[in-house]
Structure formats: C-alpha cells, structure tokens
C-alpha cells in the first residue's frame, strides 16, 4: 500500500488558521472514518490530536479540528500558537487489518 | 497513567534478527485493546509494523509480514517484536503504542521510542 499524501510543509502566523490535507484513496481515507492525526515535536513520540476524523481526545485544545471530504482528510489549527509548531502525521485504516500513515507535514509558526 | 517502555539492542548486524520488548504499566495487555509497533527512520515518516490483541491475535503490515512476529508475555505485561533478515533500511526509531479498548486504529499512548541501527 502507499503512504497517504500530505504537503511537506505548512505555515502561518500566530493567531491565524492553517489547514493540512491528507489525501488517500477510496480504499483507505475515503472508505473508512478511522482517520487520526498526530503531532510530533523533535525527539519526542507522536501525540494523538484527532481520531475518527473529527473527535478530539481529552486535553487537546478545541483549536484543533478534523474533517473529511471524499478521499481527503484535513486538520485545521485555528488561533495558531508557537507551541503548535512541529510535524503532523495523518493515519487511516486501509482495510484488511492494515493501517497506513501519511508522509508528514512540518508546520511552522512564523 | 498508562506508560510504555521499549527495550532491546541498539545495534543489530545485517541479516540478523531485531528483537525488542515493550513493557506496559498502568494497564493490562490482557484487557481489551491492541498493542502496536510503529517505526520511524531518521527524518522520515511513521510506518505501522503490526499489532497484537489482548486475546493474542496478530495483524501485520503486508510489506513486512514475511519478516515480522509480534508476541506477548501476559505474566510480565510485555509484548515483543521480532524482525528477521534486517538491512540498513530497517534502521529507525521503534515505538510501541496502545490502541485503546473500545476504539480502533488509533494510538493514544506511546513509548518514548528506541533507536535501532543496522550496521556491521
């Protein structure tokens, strides 16, 4: 299977909103509502930010939101803050008890 | 608080077997849920390796399936990864992670990761 497609980079100024896309196929993103998003800071383990396309785990600010349209899922970060800078990865169930990740997007807060 | 901790050799020779253990505290691997291995080569993205359920059933990434075995030791509350016939392409930080009970295909708790280098 192929990795999901994410833009290599994204950026925004503090207080602005930024959206990161995650494009797959009808066999993964488009076929299931099991899309998750993870934030990773340098040298640290990933942190779950969004699961099942739109749900936020306890403790994740409501500035983070997820959505999906067709084969593309999106993560929107509103009211950007300096601590939001990092790498973001999407993942999706791909059927047949398999999971695929995106290639990652480096978010820079200008 | 659930905690996971990877352990194992940091250096493995080409063609040999990579073996890692994940020790879980704050939860029981016999409870509902799945226990996963995920890896990340330096500067690159994440790759799901596979998982084992509380009942012992396993699922593997098709691209690694022929070389991977995930097992669990309930008495020690640990699960393990074996990857055979390794090459430099298997050099990565290896993470263990929990797929929580009643939810699927997401990872809510992760270990800190352990770097495994394949080199002679």
């Amino acid at each position: 299977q192929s990795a999901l497609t994410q833009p290599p980079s994204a950026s925004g100024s503090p207080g602005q909103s930024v959206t990161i896309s995650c494009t797959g196929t009808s066999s993964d993103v488009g076929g299931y509502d099991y899309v998750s998003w993870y934030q990773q800071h340098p040298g640290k383990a990933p942190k779950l930010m969004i699961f099942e396309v739109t749900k936020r785990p306890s403790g994740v600010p409501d500035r983070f939101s997820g959505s999906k349209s067709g084969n593309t899922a999106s993560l929107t970060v509103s009211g950007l803050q300096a601590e939001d800078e990092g790498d973001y990865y999407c993942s999706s169930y791909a059927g047949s008890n398999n999971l695929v990740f995106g290639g990652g997007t480096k978010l820079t807060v200008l | 608080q659930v905690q996971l901790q990877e352990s194992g050799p940091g250096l493995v020779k080409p063609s040999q077997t990579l073996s890692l253990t994940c020790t879980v505290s704050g939860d029981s691997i016999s409870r509902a849920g799945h226990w996963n291995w995920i890896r990340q080569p330096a500067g690159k993205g994440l790759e799901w390796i596979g998982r084992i359920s509380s009942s012992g059933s396993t699922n593997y990434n098709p691209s690694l399936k022929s070389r991977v075995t995930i097992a669990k030791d309930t008495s020690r509350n640990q699960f393990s990864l074996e990857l055979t016939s390794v090459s430099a392409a298997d050099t990565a930080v290896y993470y263990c992670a929990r797929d929580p009970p009643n939810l699927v295909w997401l990872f809510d708790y992760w270990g800190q990761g352990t770097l495994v280098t394949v080199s002679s």
Side-chain angles (χ1 to χ4, degrees):
Chain A
Q1 80 283 5
S2 300
L4 306 175
T5 300
Q6 296 182 235
S9 63
S11 63
S13 299
Q16 289 186 333
S17 293
V18 64
T19 296
I20 299 170
S21 63
C22 170
T23 301
T25 70
S26 58
S27 297
D28 38 61
V29 174
Y32 307 94
D33 287 336
Y34 292 128
V35 175
S36 299
W37 289 90
Y38 299 88
Q39 176 193 66
Q40 186 179 35
H41 290 133
K44 300 295 187 182
K47 174 186 176 184
L48 180 67
M49 305 301 285
I50 296 288
F51 67 98
E52 292 179 3
V53 180
T54 61
K55 299 176 182 177
R56 270 189 319 276
S58 174
V60 172
D62 60 7
R63 303 184 293 102
F64 291 85
S65 62
S67 63
K68 189 181 84 166
S69 178
N71 298 336
T72 298
S74 298
L75 173 72
T76 298
V77 186
S78 306
L80 269 176
Q81 299 183 4
E83 58 263 35
D84 299 333
E85 190 162 286
D87 295 325
Y88 288 82
Y89 294 92
C90 61
S91 71
S92 174
Y93 179 58
S96 301
N97 288 312
N98 187 29
L99 179 130
V100 63
F101 281 99
T105 297
K106 183 177 182 61
L107 174 61
T108 301
V109 180
L110 302 170
Chain B
Q1 177 75 349
V2 179
Q3 292 184 316
L4 296 89
Q5 177 69 58
E6 305 89 351
S7 59
L11 181 64
V12 181
K13 289 182 167 54
S15 80
Q16 294 192 342
T17 297
L18 179 159
S19 296
L20 295 174
T21 297
C22 182
T23 302
V24 179
S25 58
D27 194 4
S28 169
I29 64 170
S30 297
R31 210 164 60 91
H34 292 83
W35 304 92
N36 297 259
W37 288 99
I38 295 157
R39 70 181 183 179
Q40 184 174 35
K44 296 188 178 181
L46 300 164
E47 180 179 33
W48 179 72
I49 299 170
R51 68 178 190 172
I52 187 165
S53 74
S54 55
S55 64
S57 63
T58 54
N59 304 117
Y60 301 126
N61 185 322
S63 67
L64 297 169
K65 186 175 183 177
S66 65
R67 298 194 292 130
V68 174
T69 301
I70 296 175
K72 67 186 180 82
D73 183 340
T74 304
S75 65
R76 297 187 178 192
N77 215 34
Q78 296 175 332
F79 63 105
S80 62
L81 169 70
E82 285 198 343
L83 182 66
T84 62
S85 304
V86 297
S87 69
D90 296 308
T91 294
V93 174
Y94 285 75
Y95 294 100
C96 55
R98 187 185 82 158
D99 196 340
N102 304 318
L103 293 171
V104 291
W105 301 111
L106 63 101
F107 312 114
D108 61 347
Y109 287 98
W110 296 64
Q112 64 186 24
T114 187
L115 174 62
V116 179
T117 301
V118 178
S119 175
S120 55

